[in-house]
Amino acid sequence: MPTSLVTGGAGFIGSHLVERLLLRGDHVRVLDNFSSGHAANLAPWRRSIELIEGDLRDPAALARATAGVELVFHQAALPLVQQSVDDPAITNAVNVDGTLQLLLAARGAGVRRVVVASSAAVYGDDQQLPKHEELPIQPLSPYAVSKLATEQYACVFARLYPLEAVALRYFNVFGPRQDPRSPYSGVIARFCAAARTGAEVTIFGDGSQSRDFVAVADVVHANLLAGDAPAANAQVINIARGERTSLLDLVRLLEDLTARPLPVRFAPARSGDILHSLATIDRARVLLGFAPQVSLREGLRLTLEA
Ligand code: UD1
């Protein structure tokens, strides 16, 4: 039974990865410092996994976490854009230095492949749509810089050393267990939480802005494919659904699914907000054999039920 390590395994995407890796029969180890992850996310599988409470900045924790591991899924990071603007140094220490230390530990432990999580944030607000991986990147925050460094370090390690690595650029991921309480939570987590109780939602702007929303189950599926696909080594790959949906359409879908109106309050657009985001997922199709399985409607239904 191969051992897979999920860093950030107590987080939203990480905990879904843990669940799927266990289902396919992997021995699963989690490294998490619970800075934004929650023990409750792992509660159903707590007895089936090895949990190391530790930090990416601690070489001893990384050595323990990577020992005997074949595959690493690196989801741990400081995820908040605003926090990175307020304190770039800590974002750099965790996301950039932490990733470098993890890659070094993985190399030292003889890990076969590391799959790292990057973000569509690296594209900045370039108006060109859809976003493909060859577009010029334009990080607009220290967070985006840290994700760019994450993917570049992964690819450089794959070229220089006998350690395979793949970087996945996630678009707007949504699904059960995404924390709706933070002011920086994804729009779907917030709108689903409101739709469950009939509470009002706030749309920043006129609601015509659109995003390429991808269900967490599809992101997990892409990670599993990226763990094995030979052609994906040293590549950066968009992970999205390849379709965009406006916030107004999102509200309509939620109203339809819950069979009741979702009250909307309109507020001024957020500064720095981009208008539209859409990915081409051709590279994921070709290199990973990835095709999204979960429609937005089905993904929303699952999120509402959770
Ligand atoms: C996402 C990432 C962010 C990253 C950015 C660039 C999340 C949570 N955020 O932001 O880290 O820097 O991509 O790739 O994934 N909105 C409302 N009402 C709300 C919440 C949001 O109208 O209650 C609007 C926002 O103003 C925005 C849209 O919904 O126009 C989507 O917001 P959000 O889910 O935060 O994602 P991004 O802005 O795409």
Side-chain angles (χ1 to χ4, degrees), residues 13 35 65 111 140 152 188 223:
I13 299 173
S35 66
V111 166
L140 297 177
Q152 298 278 331
I188 289 186
N223 270 276

Side-chain angles (χ1 to χ4, degrees), residues 81 120-121 172 184 186-187 190 202-204 209 211 247 270 273:
V81 174
N172 290 67
Y184 307 108
V187 66
R190 293 167 65 124
T202 301
I203 288 184
F204 301 112
Q209 70 262 50
R211 294 293 185 272
L247 293 197
R270 280 178 176 173
D273 227 9

